[in-house]
Amino acid sequence: MTSRPEARPLASAPYTQSSASIRFDWGLPGALAVAQGTQIVVVVDVLSFTTALSVATEAGIEVFPYRVRDASAASFAASRQAVLAVGRSEAGSAGVSLSPLSVQAASRPGGVLADRGRLVLPSPNGSAISRALSERGVMVIGASLRNAPAVALWVKRHAAGAPVAVVAAGERWPGDALRPAVEDLWGAGAVISALSGAPSPEAQAAVAAYRQVAASLPRALAACASGQELIADGHGDEIALAAELGTSVAVPVLQGECFRPA
Protein backbone atom coordinates (compact mmCIF):
# COMPACT_ATOMS: atom_id res chain seq x y z
CA MET A 1 0.00 0.00 0.00
CA THR A 2 1.54 3.32 -1.05
CA SER A 3 1.58 6.18 1.40
CA ARG A 4 -0.24 9.37 0.51
CA PRO A 5 1.86 12.53 0.16
CA GLU A 6 1.60 15.02 2.98
CA ALA A 7 -0.69 17.97 2.35
CA ARG A 8 1.19 21.19 1.76
CA PRO A 9 0.25 24.00 4.20
CA LEU A 10 -1.84 26.64 2.41
CA ALA A 11 0.37 29.56 3.40
CA SER A 12 3.62 27.92 2.32
CA ALA A 13 5.46 28.25 -1.00
CA PRO A 14 4.41 28.22 -3.79
CA TYR A 15 1.07 29.65 -2.71
CA THR A 16 2.66 32.76 -1.21
CA GLN A 17 3.85 33.79 -4.70
CA SER A 18 7.03 34.81 -2.88
CA SER A 19 9.07 35.21 -6.07
CA ALA A 20 6.87 38.13 -7.16
CA SER A 21 6.78 41.64 -5.73
CA ILE A 22 3.12 42.08 -6.75
CA ARG A 23 0.86 39.20 -5.78
CA PHE A 24 -2.80 38.36 -6.26
CA ASP A 25 -5.25 35.84 -4.84
CA TRP A 26 -8.86 35.29 -3.77
CA GLY A 27 -10.74 35.35 -0.47
CA LEU A 28 -9.46 34.98 3.06
CA PRO A 29 -7.34 31.82 2.50
CA GLY A 30 -5.69 33.45 -0.51
CA ALA A 31 -5.18 36.68 1.40
CA LEU A 32 -3.44 34.90 4.27
CA ALA A 33 -1.19 33.10 1.79
CA VAL A 34 -0.05 36.03 -0.36
CA ALA A 35 0.21 38.37 2.63
CA GLN A 36 3.20 36.35 3.88
CA GLY A 37 6.24 38.63 3.83
CA THR A 38 4.30 41.76 2.87
CA GLN A 39 3.51 44.90 4.84
CA ILE A 40 0.66 46.19 2.65
CA VAL A 41 -2.35 44.26 1.36
CA VAL A 42 -4.98 45.87 -0.87
CA VAL A 43 -8.47 44.40 -0.46
CA VAL A 44 -10.97 44.76 -3.33
CA ASP A 45 -14.72 44.18 -2.96
CA VAL A 46 -16.33 46.25 -5.72
CA LEU A 47 -19.98 45.33 -5.18
CA SER A 48 -20.19 46.73 -2.57
CA PHE A 49 -17.92 46.90 0.53
CA THR A 50 -14.91 48.81 -0.79
CA THR A 51 -17.04 51.07 -2.99
CA ALA A 52 -19.09 52.04 0.07
CA LEU A 53 -15.80 52.41 1.97
CA SER A 54 -14.43 54.82 -0.64
CA VAL A 55 -17.59 56.93 -0.46
CA ALA A 56 -17.45 57.08 3.35
CA THR A 57 -13.72 57.82 3.45
CA GLU A 58 -13.94 60.73 1.01
CA ALA A 59 -16.60 62.22 3.32
CA GLY A 60 -14.27 61.85 6.32
CA ILE A 61 -16.27 59.02 7.90
CA GLU A 62 -14.39 56.46 9.99
CA VAL A 63 -15.39 52.92 8.98
CA PHE A 64 -15.17 49.92 11.28
CA PRO A 65 -15.16 46.64 9.32
CA TYR A 66 -17.09 43.83 11.01
CA ARG A 67 -17.42 40.20 10.00
CA VAL A 68 -21.13 39.58 10.46
CA ARG A 69 -24.31 41.60 10.85
CA ASP A 70 -25.86 40.22 14.04
CA ALA A 71 -26.49 41.20 17.65
CA SER A 72 -22.75 41.40 18.32
CA ALA A 73 -22.40 43.96 15.50
CA ALA A 74 -25.11 46.10 17.10
CA SER A 75 -23.32 45.94 20.45
CA PHE A 76 -20.00 46.76 18.81
CA ALA A 77 -21.49 49.77 17.02
CA ALA A 78 -23.08 51.04 20.23
CA SER A 79 -19.76 50.73 22.08
CA ARG A 80 -18.04 52.80 19.37
CA GLN A 81 -20.87 55.35 19.11
CA ALA A 82 -21.15 54.45 15.45
CA VAL A 83 -23.95 53.91 12.97
CA LEU A 84 -24.49 50.24 12.10
CA ALA A 85 -25.13 49.49 8.43
CA VAL A 86 -28.13 47.16 8.13
CA GLY A 87 -29.41 45.05 5.27
CA ARG A 88 -30.60 46.83 2.15
CA SER A 89 -34.20 45.73 2.73
CA GLU A 90 -34.07 46.93 6.36
CA ALA A 91 -32.51 50.30 5.51
CA GLY A 92 -35.31 51.47 3.25
CA SER A 93 -34.88 54.84 1.54
CA ALA A 94 -33.36 56.70 4.49
CA GLY A 95 -31.23 54.14 6.36
CA VAL A 96 -27.60 53.12 5.93
CA SER A 97 -26.69 49.76 4.44
CA LEU A 98 -23.85 48.22 2.44
CA SER A 99 -25.22 50.20 -0.52
CA PRO A 100 -22.72 52.92 -1.50
CA LEU A 101 -25.65 55.16 -2.42
CA SER A 102 -27.06 54.94 1.10
CA VAL A 103 -23.64 55.78 2.56
CA GLN A 104 -23.33 58.71 0.16
CA ALA A 105 -26.74 60.10 1.11
CA ALA A 106 -26.15 59.68 4.86
CA SER A 107 -22.75 61.42 4.60
CA ARG A 108 -24.23 64.67 3.30
CA PRO A 109 -24.88 67.59 5.68
CA GLY A 110 -27.75 66.68 7.96
CA GLY A 111 -27.35 62.93 7.33
CA VAL A 112 -26.87 60.48 10.16
CA LEU A 113 -23.27 59.72 9.17
CA ALA A 114 -22.37 63.38 8.82
CA ASP A 115 -23.61 63.87 12.39
CA ARG A 116 -22.06 60.73 13.89
CA GLY A 117 -18.90 60.43 11.78
CA ARG A 118 -18.51 56.68 12.37
CA LEU A 119 -19.87 53.65 10.54
CA VAL A 120 -19.75 49.93 11.30
CA LEU A 121 -19.87 48.14 7.94
CA PRO A 122 -20.42 44.37 8.26
CA SER A 123 -19.52 42.18 5.29
CA PRO A 124 -18.60 38.49 5.14
CA ASN A 125 -16.18 39.21 2.30
CA GLY A 126 -14.14 42.44 2.12
CA SER A 127 -14.82 43.46 5.69
CA ALA A 128 -14.03 40.05 7.19
CA ILE A 129 -10.82 39.76 5.15
CA SER A 130 -9.71 43.25 6.18
CA ARG A 131 -10.23 42.55 9.89
CA ALA A 132 -8.43 39.21 9.72
CA LEU A 133 -5.39 40.72 8.01
CA SER A 134 -5.28 43.70 10.37
CA GLU A 135 -5.37 41.38 13.38
CA ARG A 136 -2.21 39.79 11.97
CA GLY A 137 -0.39 43.12 11.84
CA VAL A 138 -0.75 43.76 8.10
CA MET A 139 -1.53 47.25 6.79
CA VAL A 140 -4.80 46.98 4.85
CA ILE A 141 -5.91 49.37 2.10
CA GLY A 142 -9.44 49.32 0.70
CA ALA A 143 -9.67 49.67 -3.09
CA SER A 144 -12.54 49.87 -5.54
CA LEU A 145 -12.69 50.98 -9.15
CA ARG A 146 -13.48 54.49 -7.89
CA ASN A 147 -10.16 54.91 -6.09
CA ALA A 148 -7.92 52.31 -7.76
CA PRO A 149 -5.48 54.86 -9.30
CA ALA A 150 -5.17 56.77 -6.01
CA VAL A 151 -4.61 53.56 -4.06
CA ALA A 152 -1.91 52.41 -6.49
CA LEU A 153 -0.12 55.76 -6.23
CA TRP A 154 -0.24 55.68 -2.42
CA VAL A 155 1.01 52.09 -2.31
CA LYS A 156 3.93 52.87 -4.64
CA ARG A 157 4.97 55.73 -2.37
CA HIS A 158 4.74 53.74 0.87
CA ALA A 159 5.72 50.19 -0.03
CA ALA A 160 9.34 51.30 -0.55
CA GLY A 161 10.03 48.36 -2.85
CA ALA A 162 8.58 45.75 -0.48
CA PRO A 163 6.19 43.10 -1.85
CA VAL A 164 2.53 44.08 -2.13
CA ALA A 165 -0.47 41.76 -2.22
CA VAL A 166 -3.83 42.52 -3.84
CA VAL A 167 -6.81 40.40 -2.83
CA ALA A 168 -10.13 39.99 -4.63
CA ALA A 169 -12.67 39.40 -1.87
CA GLY A 170 -15.21 37.51 -3.97
CA GLU A 171 -18.73 36.59 -2.89
CA ARG A 172 -20.29 33.57 -1.17
CA TRP A 173 -22.23 30.62 -2.52
CA PRO A 174 -25.05 29.20 -0.38
CA GLY A 175 -23.21 27.11 2.16
CA ASP A 176 -20.54 29.81 2.55
CA ALA A 177 -18.11 28.61 -0.12
CA LEU A 178 -16.14 31.30 -1.96
CA ARG A 179 -17.64 32.45 -5.26
CA PRO A 180 -14.95 34.22 -7.31
CA ALA A 181 -16.62 37.42 -8.50
CA VAL A 182 -15.30 38.87 -11.75
CA GLU A 183 -15.90 42.49 -10.69
CA ASP A 184 -13.33 42.04 -7.92
CA LEU A 185 -10.89 40.58 -10.44
CA TRP A 186 -11.36 43.73 -12.55
CA GLY A 187 -10.90 46.01 -9.52
CA ALA A 188 -7.74 44.18 -8.49
CA GLY A 189 -6.44 44.43 -12.04
CA ALA A 190 -7.09 48.17 -12.06
CA VAL A 191 -4.87 48.56 -9.00
CA ILE A 192 -2.16 46.17 -10.16
CA SER A 193 -1.94 47.76 -13.62
CA ALA A 194 -0.82 51.02 -11.99
CA LEU A 195 1.76 49.45 -9.64
CA SER A 196 5.47 49.05 -10.30
CA GLY A 197 7.22 45.74 -9.76
CA ALA A 198 7.32 42.12 -10.83
CA PRO A 199 3.77 40.71 -10.91
CA SER A 200 3.02 37.04 -10.41
CA PRO A 201 1.19 35.20 -13.21
CA GLU A 202 -1.95 35.50 -11.09
CA ALA A 203 -1.50 39.28 -10.87
CA GLN A 204 -0.85 39.47 -14.62
CA ALA A 205 -4.11 37.60 -15.26
CA ALA A 206 -6.01 40.17 -13.16
CA VAL A 207 -4.51 43.01 -15.21
CA ALA A 208 -5.43 41.29 -18.49
CA ALA A 209 -9.03 40.81 -17.31
CA TYR A 210 -9.30 44.45 -16.28
CA ARG A 211 -7.89 45.80 -19.54
CA GLN A 212 -10.43 43.80 -21.52
CA VAL A 213 -13.34 45.68 -19.90
CA ALA A 214 -11.74 49.00 -18.92
CA ALA A 215 -13.47 50.90 -21.71
CA SER A 216 -16.92 49.53 -20.83
CA LEU A 217 -17.04 49.16 -17.07
CA PRO A 218 -20.68 50.20 -16.48
CA ARG A 219 -21.91 47.68 -19.06
CA ALA A 220 -19.58 44.95 -17.81
CA LEU A 221 -20.59 45.45 -14.17
CA ALA A 222 -24.26 45.36 -15.09
CA ALA A 223 -23.80 42.17 -17.12
CA CYS A 224 -21.76 40.16 -14.62
CA ALA A 225 -23.43 37.78 -12.15
CA SER A 226 -23.14 40.12 -9.16
CA GLY A 227 -24.50 43.03 -11.17
CA GLN A 228 -27.41 40.92 -12.38
CA GLU A 229 -28.12 39.95 -8.78
CA LEU A 230 -28.24 43.61 -7.74
CA ILE A 231 -30.55 44.45 -10.64
CA ALA A 232 -32.87 41.54 -9.85
CA ASP A 233 -33.05 42.69 -6.21
CA GLY A 234 -33.94 46.25 -7.24
CA HIS A 235 -30.53 47.79 -6.53
CA GLY A 236 -29.18 48.22 -10.04
CA ASP A 237 -28.79 51.96 -9.47
CA GLU A 238 -25.68 51.19 -7.40
CA ILE A 239 -23.76 49.94 -10.41
CA ALA A 240 -23.11 53.33 -12.01
CA LEU A 241 -21.44 54.58 -8.82
CA ALA A 242 -19.29 51.45 -8.53
CA ALA A 243 -18.17 51.90 -12.17
CA GLU A 244 -16.80 55.44 -11.64
CA LEU A 245 -13.18 54.61 -12.43
CA GLY A 246 -10.73 56.97 -10.74
CA THR A 247 -13.28 59.50 -9.48
CA SER A 248 -12.12 59.30 -5.86
CA VAL A 249 -8.73 60.18 -4.39
CA ALA A 250 -9.66 58.80 -0.96
CA VAL A 251 -7.32 56.04 0.24
CA PRO A 252 -8.82 54.12 3.19
CA VAL A 253 -6.17 52.71 5.52
CA LEU A 254 -7.16 50.28 8.27
CA GLN A 255 -5.54 51.64 11.42
CA GLY A 256 -6.39 49.54 14.45
CA GLU A 257 -10.12 48.89 14.31
CA CYS A 258 -11.19 51.36 11.67
CA PHE A 259 -10.44 52.65 8.20
CA ARG A 260 -9.40 56.30 8.04
CA PRO A 261 -8.29 58.48 5.12
CA ALA A 262 -4.59 58.11 4.42
Side-chain angles (χ1 to χ4, degrees):
M1 182 175 179
T2 59
S3 60
R4 298 177 62 184
E6 293 184 7
R8 187 189 300 273
L10 182 62
S12 71
Y15 306 111
T16 60
Q17 301 174 29
S18 58
S19 63
S21 61
I22 304 174
R23 309 166 185 177
F24 169 78
D25 216 304
W26 287 93
L28 180 56
L32 296 179
V34 294
Q36 298 292 315
T38 70
Q39 295 181 343
I40 298 175
V41 177
V42 179
V43 174
V44 182
D45 189 351
V46 170
L47 296 175
S48 300
F49 173 72
T50 53
T51 296
L53 176 62
S54 73
V55 170
T57 303
E58 65 193 10
I61 308 299
E62 296 181 350
V63 178
F64 295 79
Y66 205 78
R67 293 184 178 88
V68 292
R69 188 172 59 247
D70 59 7
S72 69
S75 298
F76 179 82
S79 70
R80 302 313 190 267
Q81 298 182 317
V83 175
L84 174 64
V86 298
R88 286 177 171 88
S89 59
E90 301 170 61
S93 59
V96 182
S97 71
L98 197 62
S99 163
L101 290 174
S102 75
V103 175
Q104 188 177 65
S107 300
R108 294 180 181 129
V112 63
L113 284 177
D115 293 339
R116 195 78 64 88
R118 291 182 162 194
L119 172 65
V120 174
L121 203 55
S123 157
N125 304 305
S127 187
I129 293 168
S130 298
R131 279 187 66 94
L133 289 170
S134 180
E135 288 167 357
R136 288 163 173 79
V138 178
M139 179 181 291
V140 179
I141 313 297
S144 64
L145 291 165
R146 298 182 76 247
N147 67 346
V151 166
L153 180 61
W154 190 92
V155 168
K156 285 196 293 186
R157 288 175 174 171
H158 291 81
V164 174
V166 181
V167 175
E171 296 293 338
R172 317 303 300 181
W173 286 110
D176 207 37
L178 172 70
R179 176 176 73 80
V182 72
E183 69 275 9
D184 295 341
L185 180 67
W186 297 333
V191 174
I192 296 168
S193 67
L195 293 176
S196 301
S200 67
E202 292 82 359
Q204 292 176 37
V207 172
Y210 161 68
R211 287 177 175 165
Q212 187 173 19
V213 299
S216 57
L217 283 170
R219 184 167 66 250
L221 284 178
C224 73
S226 299
Q228 287 291 296
E229 182 181 28
L230 280 177
I231 292 169
D233 290 342
H235 303 294
D237 53 351
E238 298 178 19
I239 294 172
L241 180 63
E244 292 178 346
L245 179 65
T247 59
S248 175
V249 297
V251 178
V253 180
L254 186 54
Q255 300 172 318
E257 291 185 320
C258 70
F259 281 99
R260 296 185 176 92

